[in-house]
Amino acid sequence: MVAVKDAQHSKQQILAAAFRVIHQKGFNRASVKEILADTGLTKGAFYHHFASKEAMGKAILDEIEGAIGSVWLEPIEALDDPITGIQEAMRAYAGSLSAEEVALGCPLNKLALELAPTDDFFRVRIKQIYDGWRSALADALRRGQRAGTVSQMIDPMGAATFFVAAQTGGRGLAKNAHNADILSVCADHLVRYLDTLRP
Amino acid sequence: MVAVKDAQHSKQQILAAAFRVIHQKGFNRASVKEILADTGLTKGAFYHHFASKEAMGKAILDEIEGAIGSVWLEPIEALDDPITGIQEAMRAYAGSLSAEEVALGCPLNKLALELAPTDDFFRVRIKQIYDGWRSALADALRRGQRAGTVSQMIDPMGAATFFVAAQTGGRGLAKNAHNADILSVCADHLVRYLDTLRP
Amino acid sequence: MVAVKDAQHSKQQILAAAFRVIHQKGFNRASVKEILADTGLTKGAFYHHFASKEAMGKAILDEIEGAIGSVWLEPIEALDDPITGIQEAMRAYAGSLSAEEVALGCPLNKLALELAPTDDFFRVRIKQIYDGWRSALADALRRGQRAGTVSQMIDPMGAATFFVAAQTGGRGLAKNAHNADILSVCADHLVRYLDTLRP
Amino acid sequence: MVAVKDAQHSKQQILAAAFRVIHQKGFNRASVKEILADTGLTKGAFYHHFASKEAMGKAILDEIEGAIGSVWLEPIEALDDPITGIQEAMRAYAGSLSAEEVALGCPLNKLALELAPTDDFFRVRIKQIYDGWRSALADALRRGQRAGTVSQMIDPMGAATFFVAAQTGGRGLAKNAHNADILSVCADHLVRYLDTLRP
DNA sequence: ACATTCGGGACGGCCCGTTCCT
DNA sequence: AGGAACGGGCCGTCCCGAATGT
C-alpha cells in the first residue's frame, strides 16, 4: 500500500514543501534537508527532479507567478470597470489572509529582496513577474479608459506600478508588525487612491 | 605611525563593513569572515567588540534608525506645513540615490523581510524603528492639522502608515528592476497622494 | 530503422564509453552517470548488463588484456629472433601514439596504480595480465635461446620483467610531461638494452 | 595535560596523516574526514592551515620532492664516480623497502598517474619534480664524464631519463604483484645498465 | 583592554553507486 | 531497459570559544 513511485506527485510534494520553508526562512536558510524532511523523500529524489537547489527556486517562481495571476489578474481580466474590480480584489485579499499569512508576508517580495543583489537570473525572472503584473493592471486600466470608467488623464502604467509597490509595501509592513490592521489601513488608502483614477 | 589599537575606530570599521556586506547579501549570507576581510581585522577583534554576530546586527539597526531620522524626520521636525516638507523630502530622496543605491534597496526593509519570521528580537526592534518613523510622520501631520495646513478629515497615523508602506514598496520594486524610474513614478504618485491630504 | 534494442550492442557501447572515461579520469572518478551520458542509455541499462560498477571494471580489464596481446604478443608469437621482433614492436608502439594518447598514458598502469592497494580482486586480475605479458615475452626469449638468437647467459623472465617495467615507466613519465620525446628516448634505450641480450 | 595548540605541530600532523592516506587511497579517495580521524583534529583545524584539499596536496608534493632529494640526489651530489654512487643508491633503496612499502608503491608516481590528466597544476608541479630528479642525475653523469668515470659517448639526460623511468616502472610492477623480488630484478638490470655507461 | 592565532563541530549543497518497480 | 528514489559520503563554510600575546 505504500504509495507507488509517482514522479509528478513527488515533484509537487517537494515544490510545496520548498515553498513553505522558503516562505518562512528565505531561500538561503531553507536547507534542502529541511525541505525534504517534510516530504519523507530523500536527497536522491530531490536531485533527481532538480538539477540544483537554484533550479528548484526557479520552479517555485513559476508557481508564484501563477498564484499572482489567479488572485490579482484573472478577476479583472475582462472587466469594463477595472477600478471597481481591483478594489474588490484588494479588499478580498486583505480580508482573506490569516494571521499566519500576514506574519509570513509576500513570498515574491521576500525572494526579490533576498536574491536580487546576489543572483541576476533570479532578479530578472522576478522582474518578469512584477512586469507581468504591472502590465496586466495597466492593460485593464486602458480598457477602462476606452470604456469611460477610468480617467483619460492618468498614466495607466504609472498607476499600476504605484499600486503594486504600495500593496507590496503594505504587506511587508504588516508582516513585520504582526499586525493585519496595517494591511487594512493600506488597503483602504489604496482603494481611495483608486477612486481618484475615475473620470 | 601605524594607528595604534583604537577601540572605537576598530568597532566603527567593523560596523561600517558589516553594514555594507549585510546590505548586499543579507544578514545570514554576510559571513563574519567577509566582513572582516574589508577591515583587515581578525575574528578576535570582532568577538571582542561584539558578543555575537547577532549582537552586531542589533548595533547596525541602531545606525539605520539614525539614518532614517536624519533623512525623513529631522527635515520636517518643526514644520507647520508638514505635507510640503514630506513632499520635498520624498523628491530629494528619490533624486539623490545613485544607480547602485537603487539596486541595493532599503536596508531596513531587507532586514525586516529576512529576519522577521526567524528572529523575534530583530522583528520587534525593526518594528520599533518603523513605528517611530510612522509616529513621527503622524505627529507632523497632527501639527499641520493644528496649523490648518492639513485636512481635519484624515487619520494622521493611517496616512503615515500608508506613506511608509508605499515608499518602501516603491524602493523594493525599483531595486529588483534596477530601475530608478520606478522610484520616481512612485514618488510622484506619493506626492500627489499627499496633496489630497491638504484641507 | 532505429536499431532495435540490441543487448550486445548496448553492452559494447557502455564498455567503450567506460574505457574512455576511466582512461581519462581513473576508475573512481569515472561516474556511471558520465559514462552513460556518452551512450544515451540510462542506469537501468547499465545495471541490467553489469551487476555493479566493479563488475564492469573487470570486463574492461579483459579488453585491455586483449589489446596488450595484439600489440605486444602476437607480433612475436612464433619468431626465432624475438629480440628483433620486440625491438620492432617497441619502435612501432612509440611511434604510433598520438599526442593525446601520450597524455593519457597506459590504461593498465593507471588502473594498477589506482586500485591495487584498495581492491585485491583488481590487483590480482591485473597481476595476471602483467604476468601473462612477462611470461609470453620470456617464452619468446627462450625460443630465441633455442634458436641461437638470444644469449644463453641471460635470465629470460628477468629480462622480460625489466622490459615491461621500463616500458611502463617510460610511458608514465612521458604522460606526465606531455612529451612524446621522453617515450622515444626510453624506447631507444630499451632497444639498446635488448641488443645486449644477443649472443 | 592536553597538548596545547601548536600550529606547526598540528600542520605537520595533518600533512603526515594526509600523506599516509593519500599514498594508500590516492588523492581523490582520501577524504579529509579520514585524514583528520588519524590526527584527532577537526575540519576547523584543517581549513585553518590549508585553503583547500588541493592546497594541501601541493604541500605534500613539496615533501615528496624533499624525500626524493635525500634518497637519490644527496648521496651522489659531489661524487666523481656517479655511476657507482647511483648503483649503490639503487641497491640500498631496493633493499630497504618493507613489504608494506613495496605494496604501496611510489607515492609520486601514484599522484602523477591519478592527477595528471585532470589537474594541470598538479601535473606541472609533478613534472618539475621529475625534471629536477632527471637533471640532477644528468648533472652527476656529466661530472663523471669530466672526471673520466663516465663514457663520453652517452647522452647524460637520456640516460637519466631512462633510469628514472625504469626505476619507477619497476616499483609499480612490484607494487601490483606484492612482490619485492620484482624490484630486485629490476634493480639488478638497472645496475647492469649503468655499467654499460662506463668508458 | 585589544587583538591574534588556532581549533571545534555542525551543517551546507551536491554527487555517487545502487535498488526497485514498471 | 527506463525512471524514480535511496542513503550516505564529500568538500567546504560558518559562528564561535579558548589560549596566547601585547
Side-chain angles (χ1 to χ4, degrees):
Chain A
M1 286 295 92
V2 169
V4 227
K5 293 177 184 179
D6 177 348
Q8 283 314 306
H9 179 244
S10 292
K11 189 165 184 176
Q12 282 309 316
Q13 241 185 317
I14 292 174
L15 237 26
F19 177 83
R20 237 176 299 135
V21 180
I22 289 176
H23 194 183
Q24 205 158 34
K25 307 211 168 176
F27 185 77
N28 287 307
R29 297 263 304 194
S31 78
V32 173
K33 190 177 180 180
E34 184 179 0
I35 290 169
L36 291 166
D38 281 16
T39 66
L41 296 167
T42 62
K43 299 208 181 168
F46 184 93
Y47 282 95
H48 174 68
H49 289 291
F50 302 101
S52 66
K53 188 187 174 189
E54 200 178 357
M56 183 220 55
K58 294 168 187 173
I60 285 194
L61 248 19
D62 294 343
E63 297 216 327
I64 291 178
E65 188 171 33
I68 288 178
S70 56
V71 171
W72 292 104
L73 308 184
E74 286 171 17
I76 59 164
E77 213 157 0
L79 264 38
D80 278 340
D81 180 3
I83 289 181
T84 304
I86 296 171
Q87 286 172 327
E88 279 166 8
M90 178 82 252
R91 269 196 276 254
Y93 179 69
S96 71
L97 294 178
S98 67
E100 202 182 33
E101 285 168 318
V102 169
L104 282 171
C106 168
L108 183 59
N109 192 28
K110 173 141 199 168
L111 288 175
L113 268 287
E114 179 183 4
L115 300 176
T118 304
D119 184 316
D120 221 54
F121 181 96
F122 272 111
R123 206 202 88 231
V124 171
R125 180 73 185 91
I126 292 170
K127 178 165 147 49
Q128 279 177 9
I129 299 178
Y130 273 124
D131 285 351
W133 188 358
R134 291 161 58 211
S135 298
L137 248 30
D139 284 346
L141 291 175
R142 276 188 217 103
R143 214 180 313 114
Q145 286 180 323
R146 283 194 297 274
T149 62
V150 172
S151 161
Q152 304 292 341
M153 317 289 295
I154 64 119
D155 166 26
M157 188 47 121
T161 299
F162 180 66
F163 178 82
V164 170
Q167 194 277 330
T168 298
R171 185 151 184 205
L173 211 51
K175 161 189 172 161
N176 193 270
H178 275 201
N179 185 351
D181 290 346
I182 290 183
L183 202 54
S184 301
V185 167
C186 290
D188 288 346
H189 279 261
L190 270 175
V191 165
R192 240 174 298 155
Y193 164 78
L194 289 166
D195 278 331
T196 69
L197 305 181
R198 296 184 191 276
Chain B
M1 283 311 87
V2 168
V4 230
K5 296 174 186 179
D6 177 345
Q8 280 316 304
H9 180 244
S10 291
K11 188 164 184 175
Q12 281 309 314
Q13 244 186 316
I14 293 174
L15 237 28
F19 177 82
R20 236 176 303 134
V21 180
I22 288 176
H23 195 182
Q24 205 159 34
K25 308 209 168 179
F27 185 76
N28 286 306
R29 297 263 303 196
S31 77
V32 174
K33 190 178 181 180
E34 185 180 359
I35 291 170
L36 290 166
D38 281 16
T39 67
L41 297 167
T42 60
K43 302 216 178 159
F46 184 92
Y47 283 96
H48 175 72
H49 289 293
F50 301 100
S52 66
K53 188 188 175 188
E54 201 179 357
M56 182 221 56
K58 295 168 187 173
I60 286 195
L61 249 17
D62 294 343
E63 296 214 330
I64 292 178
E65 189 170 33
I68 288 177
S70 57
V71 171
W72 293 103
L73 308 185
E74 285 169 19
I76 60 164
E77 211 157 4
L79 262 38
D80 277 341
D81 180 3
I83 288 180
T84 304
I86 297 171
Q87 287 173 327
E88 279 166 8
M90 179 81 252
R91 271 195 274 253
Y93 179 70
S96 72
L97 295 179
S98 68
E100 203 181 33
E101 285 169 318
V102 169
L104 281 171
C106 168
L108 184 59
N109 193 26
K110 171 141 201 169
L111 289 176
L113 268 288
E114 179 183 4
L115 299 176
T118 304
D119 184 314
D120 221 54
F121 180 96
F122 271 109
R123 205 201 89 232
V124 171
R125 180 75 185 90
I126 292 169
K127 179 165 145 52
Q128 280 177 9
I129 299 177
Y130 273 124
D131 285 351
W133 188 357
R134 290 160 60 212
S135 298
L137 247 30
D139 285 347
L141 290 175
R142 275 188 217 102
R143 212 180 315 113
Q145 286 179 322
R146 282 193 298 274
T149 62
V150 172
S151 161
Q152 302 292 340
M153 317 289 295
I154 64 118
D155 166 27
M157 188 47 121
T161 299
F162 180 67
F163 178 83
V164 170
Q167 193 278 327
T168 298
R171 184 150 186 207
L173 211 51
K175 160 188 173 164
N176 192 272
H178 276 199
N179 183 352
D181 290 345
I182 290 184
L183 202 54
S184 301
V185 167
C186 290
D188 288 344
H189 281 261
L190 268 175
V191 165
R192 242 175 296 156
Y193 164 78
L194 288 168
D195 279 331
T196 70
L197 304 182
R198 297 186 191 273
Chain C
M1 288 294 92
V2 167
V4 230
K5 294 175 186 175
D6 178 345
Q8 281 314 306
H9 180 244
S10 291
K11 189 166 184 175
Q12 281 309 314
Q13 242 186 315
I14 294 175
L15 236 26
F19 178 82
R20 237 177 302 134
V21 180
I22 289 176
H23 195 183
Q24 205 158 34
K25 307 208 168 178
F27 185 76
N28 287 306
R29 298 263 301 196
S31 77
V32 174
K33 189 177 181 180
E34 186 179 1
I35 290 170
L36 290 166
D38 281 16
T39 67
L41 296 168
T42 61
K43 295 204 184 176
F46 185 92
Y47 282 94
H48 175 70
H49 289 294
F50 301 100
S52 67
K53 188 187 177 190
E54 202 180 356
M56 182 221 56
K58 294 169 188 174
I60 285 196
L61 248 19
D62 294 343
E63 297 213 330
I64 292 179
E65 188 171 32
I68 287 178
S70 57
V71 170
W72 292 105
L73 307 185
E74 285 170 17
I76 61 164
E77 212 157 1
L79 262 38
D80 277 339
D81 181 3
I83 288 181
T84 303
I86 297 170
Q87 286 173 327
E88 279 166 6
M90 178 82 254
R91 270 195 274 252
Y93 179 70
S96 71
L97 295 178
S98 68
E100 204 182 32
E101 285 168 318
V102 169
L104 282 171
C106 168
L108 183 59
N109 192 27
K110 174 142 199 169
L111 290 174
L113 268 288
E114 178 182 7
L115 300 175
T118 303
D119 185 316
D120 222 53
F121 181 95
F122 271 111
R123 206 202 89 232
V124 170
R125 180 74 185 90
I126 292 169
K127 179 166 146 48
Q128 279 175 10
I129 300 178
Y130 273 124
D131 285 351
W133 188 357
R134 290 160 60 212
S135 298
L137 247 31
D139 284 347
L141 290 175
R142 274 187 218 101
R143 213 180 315 113
Q145 285 180 324
R146 280 193 298 277
T149 62
V150 172
S151 162
Q152 303 292 341
M153 316 288 297
I154 63 120
D155 166 28
M157 187 48 119
T161 299
F162 180 67
F163 177 84
V164 169
Q167 193 278 329
T168 298
R171 185 151 184 206
L173 210 51
K175 160 189 173 163
N176 193 271
H178 276 199
N179 184 352
D181 290 345
I182 289 184
L183 202 55
S184 300
V185 166
C186 289
D188 288 345
H189 280 260
L190 268 176
V191 165
R192 241 175 296 155
Y193 164 78
L194 288 167
D195 278 332
T196 69
L197 304 182
R198 295 185 192 275
Chain D
M1 287 306 92
V2 169
V4 227
K5 293 177 185 179
D6 176 348
Q8 282 314 306
H9 180 244
S10 292
K11 188 165 185 175
Q12 281 310 315
Q13 242 185 313
I14 293 174
L15 237 26
F19 177 83
R20 236 176 301 135
V21 180
I22 289 176
H23 195 180
Q24 205 157 34
K25 306 209 169 179
F27 185 76
N28 286 306
R29 297 266 301 198
S31 78
V32 172
K33 191 178 182 180
E34 184 180 0
I35 290 170
L36 291 166
D38 282 17
T39 67
L41 296 167
T42 62
K43 296 211 181 171
F46 185 93
Y47 283 94
H48 173 69
H49 290 291
F50 302 100
S52 66
K53 188 188 174 190
E54 200 179 356
M56 182 220 57
K58 295 169 186 173
I60 286 195
L61 247 20
D62 294 342
E63 296 215 329
I64 291 178
E65 187 171 34
I68 287 177
S70 56
V71 170
W72 292 104
L73 308 184
E74 286 169 17
I76 59 162
E77 210 156 4
L79 262 36
D80 277 339
D81 180 3
I83 289 181
T84 305
I86 297 170
Q87 287 172 326
E88 278 165 9
M90 179 81 252
R91 270 195 275 254
Y93 179 70
S96 72
L97 294 178
S98 67
E100 203 181 34
E101 285 168 318
V102 169
L104 282 170
C106 169
L108 184 59
N109 192 28
K110 172 142 200 169
L111 289 174
L113 268 287
E114 179 183 5
L115 301 175
T118 304
D119 184 316
D120 221 55
F121 181 96
F122 271 111
R123 205 203 89 229
V124 170
R125 180 73 184 93
I126 292 170
K127 179 165 146 50
Q128 279 176 9
I129 299 178
Y130 273 124
D131 285 350
W133 187 358
R134 290 160 60 211
S135 298
L137 246 32
D139 284 346
L141 290 175
R142 277 188 215 101
R143 214 181 312 113
Q145 286 180 322
R146 283 194 296 274
T149 62
V150 172
S151 161
Q152 303 292 342
M153 316 290 294
I154 63 120
D155 166 27
M157 188 47 121
T161 299
F162 180 66
F163 177 83
V164 170
Q167 193 278 330
T168 297
R171 186 152 184 203
L173 211 51
K175 161 187 173 167
N176 192 270
H178 277 200
N179 184 351
D181 290 346
I182 289 183
L183 201 55
S184 300
V185 167
C186 289
D188 287 345
H189 280 259
L190 269 175
V191 165
R192 240 174 297 155
Y193 164 77
L194 289 167
D195 278 331
T196 70
L197 304 181
R198 297 186 191 274

